Amino acid sequence: MATNTDRRGQDGWQNRFLDRVERLGNALPDPVAIFVAIIVVLMLVSALAAAQGWSVTNPVTGEVLAARSLFSEELMRQLLTEVPKTYTGFTPLGFALTIMLGAGVAEHSGLLPALLRRMMQSVPQRLLVPATILLGMLTIHAFDFGYIVFVPLAGMMFAAAGRNPLLGCILGYVGCCTGLVGNLLPGQYDVLIFGITQTGARLLDPQWEMNPFGNWWYMIAIAVTYILIGWYLAERVVGPRLGSWQGHEDGSYEPPEPLTAIEKKALKRAGMVLVLFVATVLALIYLPAYAPLYDAKAEPAQRILPFYRATVPLLSGLMLIAGWVYGRTTGTISTHREVVTMMGKGLEGMIPYLVLAFFAAHFVAMFGWSNLAPIVAIEGAAALRDLDAPPALLLPLLASASAWLDFLIASGSAKWTAMAPVAVPMLMLLGVSPEMTTAAYRVGDVVTNLISPLNAYFILALIYCQRFVPSFRLGSLLSATLPIAIAYYLAGMALTAGWVALDLPVGPGVSVGYHLPER
């Protein structure tokens, strides 16, 4: 590794344990081979499940979902004939490619490096770690922008500050992962997840309306807790293991130079582009006669969904235009042909991810075809119901089940779609509000993503780390994120149990408790 002070192997049971984790993780095959092996296992399990007649009843539709063998003639035909469709339909892949078209222009024109140097002038060194985690949390509102753009930027930011860029990438990834449960502001994911919660709640209360702000106070508490824990572990555990930074593995390192007058001028012009962009987006939302980013026919809480769904192409367009303006000002761009070339360069770094995404896409699709995902999720929720435990214990158990299921079902919304129709009404009958149930589910949903090799963005974070240190491997990343994942899990469980016990408000006008309306 490109570190000056490698403290792995030092005394202390924590480091000895993490050393073993790192060695075990590094002994694993390439992530592509892992996905291939898991697909083979999935096919065998699906055949066994189908032969044994595994099935569940969908609590909402009443439909019986039976396990389907991936060796069946129908599914094998679907697998072989829909390979291009399965690959190109992989949502993270579409997000990544779209974002990188604009990010390539912003990076190669010099805009992003200049912004990083400017940020380093305004962020005190002692606050670099918590600021990185917080920014990662906030970027998640732009769908997967944070995973794709902010994680490598965080690495560059740490390198510019003379600190290990591996730590920057890791903390940026940590912030992005936990931003879906710990955040200062609600966003598109809140609308999505509460829309699913509403499906379960209306099984008992047909008049129940979702509130996108229903977890706001809880989210802020989780955000503050996770930032403080991440800050401590980064400085005391993860950072020391990674060591100090003296440049790339060839020993080269050049500290950032101050911004020149022309770069400052170019940044101001790029800032003007941002202002015009925001004004244009607001107009497309609120203009009475023409508002393609606002759906007036939808339910009130969902009317802004078109804007959320358009954030990926909007952000890509913003980076492209702002990068173009910056490049024209500084002289790094003279013709539109150079812009097109930069867009292509932005995709070059995604080539390893393109290979991985092919196999990840097929694993996700095949897991869905087999019906094993809803069977596992619904049966898991039913097992929680049968425990007949008090809410202060049941909610942490729900979060734990969500965390373990994340190794099988990476999509939080897909998993909640299967679990909510059982978990939400079950806890409503026990006097727990749907909002509090959703909050507990979200805690477990995000923690496992920090350490799951089945999470495509975990591997993408590894690829970004390898840009700085090519010898950095899967086990190295796992040993860096594992302490944070464990601490976040324990803190989330304790906070959830304490929140219920103290009956604190979950969000504006939302309490932990719930009473069914009288008929």
Side-chain angles (χ1 to χ4, degrees):
M1 292 174 62
T3 55
N4 181 41
T5 307
D6 193 343
R7 295 175 60 180
R8 291 174 300 170
Q10 66 182 18
D11 293 336
W13 68 268
Q14 299 98 329
N15 275 282
R16 289 195 297 271
F17 169 71
L18 293 177
D19 288 342
R20 294 190 184 97
V21 170
E22 182 169 1
R23 287 194 295 269
L24 177 61
N26 288 339
L28 292 173
D30 186 89
V32 169
I34 293 176
F35 270 104
V36 172
I38 292 175
I39 288 173
V40 173
V41 172
L42 172 64
M43 296 181 71
L44 295 174
V45 171
S46 71
L48 175 63
Q52 295 294 320
W54 293 6
S55 65
V56 294
T57 300
N58 187 312
V60 177
T61 64
E63 177 189 4
V64 176
L65 300 174
R68 303 170 70 195
S69 172
L70 291 168
F71 288 103
S72 67
E73 187 177 89
E74 178 186 358
L75 293 187
M76 186 59 68
R77 181 185 300 114
Q78 184 173 0
L79 171 64
L80 297 176
T81 60
E82 295 187 0
V83 168
K85 179 181 177 181
T86 302
Y87 184 28
T88 58
F90 189 48
T91 301
L93 177 63
F95 284 160
L97 296 182
T98 302
I99 283 289
M100 292 310 297
L101 287 173
V105 178
E107 178 182 356
H108 294 285
S109 67
L111 172 60
L112 291 183
L115 278 175
L116 288 172
R117 287 153 59 197
R118 179 68 182 86
M119 289 173 63
M120 292 313 305
Q121 297 173 4
S122 57
V123 178
Q125 274 280 347
R126 66 181 183 278
L127 298 180
L128 183 58
V129 167
T132 300
I133 298 174
L134 175 60
L135 287 173
M137 289 178 171
L138 293 173
T139 59
I140 206 65
H141 290 317
F143 281 90
D144 296 336
F145 172 84
Y147 292 113
I148 300 164
V149 176
F150 179 71
V151 171
L153 285 183
M156 295 168 61
M157 188 164 60
F158 270 61
R163 299 195 62 177
N164 198 322
L166 297 176
L167 182 60
C169 290
I170 290 166
L171 293 178
Y173 176 69
V174 167
C176 292
C177 283
T178 54
L180 296 178
V181 63
N183 221 309
L184 300 185
L185 297 170
Q188 50 84 19
Y189 187 72
D190 296 89
V191 178
L192 172 63
I193 206 73
F194 275 116
I196 299 170
T197 300
Q198 180 172 281
T199 302
R202 286 188 172 179
L203 292 175
L204 290 182
D205 181 5
Q207 303 303 316
W208 192 87
E209 291 287 343
M210 73 137 172
N211 176 8
F213 299 94
N215 286 164
W216 197 357
W217 307 149
Y218 185 86
M219 288 169 57
I220 293 175
I222 285 284
V224 173
T225 301
Y226 281 4
I227 289 172
L228 293 176
I229 293 175
W231 189 0
Y232 176 83
L233 291 176
E235 300 290 9
R236 298 297 182 90
V237 179
V238 182
R241 283 183 59 80
L242 295 172
S244 60
W245 171 251
Q246 287 189 330
H248 295 278
E249 293 189 338
D250 60 5
S252 63
Y253 171 67
E254 296 181 2
E257 298 179 354
L259 292 174
T260 64
I262 191 65
E263 287 175 327
K264 292 179 180 178
K265 180 180 179 181
L267 282 178
K268 289 181 180 178
R269 291 185 175 179
M272 293 175 61
V273 171
L274 174 61
V275 172
L276 291 174
F277 170 82
V278 172
T280 301
V281 170
L282 290 175
L284 294 176
I285 295 174
Y286 295 112
L287 278 178
Y290 185 75
L293 297 182
Y294 185 82
D295 185 2
K297 297 179 180 179
E299 295 184 15
Q302 298 181 349
R303 290 175 183 174
I304 200 69
L305 274 180
F307 162 71
Y308 288 135
R309 291 169 176 165
T311 51
V312 169
L314 287 173
L315 286 169
S316 183
L318 171 62
M319 289 189 290
L320 190 154
I321 297 171
W324 195 338
V325 169
Y326 179 92
R328 290 285 294 182
T329 304
T330 60
T332 57
I333 293 177
S334 56
T335 70
H336 72 279
R337 292 181 176 83
E338 291 172 324
V339 175
V340 176
T341 299
M342 290 178 181
M343 294 172 71
K345 288 182 178 179
L347 297 178
E348 288 177 0
M350 300 300 295
I351 291 176
Y353 182 72
L354 294 179
V355 177
L356 172 76
F358 177 85
F359 298 95
H362 281 83
F363 167 72
V364 172
M366 293 168 71
F367 199 63
W369 297 341
S370 68
N371 278 340
L372 290 178
I375 289 174
V376 171
I378 293 173
E379 288 290 354
L384 289 175
R385 177 189 59 204
D386 295 339
L387 290 176
D388 196 25
L393 175 60
L394 196 55
L395 284 171
L397 288 175
L398 172 66
S400 298
S402 173
W404 284 106
L405 285 172
D406 213 45
F407 283 110
L408 298 176
I409 311 171
S411 169
S413 58
K415 185 170 53 179
W416 191 227
T417 298
M419 294 180 68
V422 177
V424 172
M426 170 186 72
L427 284 156
M428 289 170 71
L429 292 171
L430 294 175
V432 178
S433 68
E435 291 87 354
M436 188 65 237
T437 301
T438 305
Y441 165 80
R442 294 170 72 171
V443 170
D445 176 51
V446 302
V447 170
T448 314
N449 284 327
L450 292 171
I451 56 174
S452 175
L454 299 184
N455 178 7
Y457 291 131
F458 181 84
I459 306 302
L460 183 60
L462 175 63
I463 292 171
Y464 285 140
C465 287
Q466 290 173 340
R467 290 186 182 180
F468 296 100
V469 182
S471 61
F472 196 76
R473 298 175 65 184
L474 182 66
S476 304
L477 179 59
L478 182 59
S479 67
T481 57
L482 183 60
I484 301 176
I486 293 174
Y488 280 6
Y489 171 77
L490 295 175
M493 298 304 103
L495 187 63
T496 300
W499 208 279
V500 175
L502 297 174
D503 195 21
L504 300 175
V506 191
V510 178
S511 63
V512 169
Y514 175 82
H515 298 285
L516 282 172
E518 296 182 1
R519 300 296 181 184

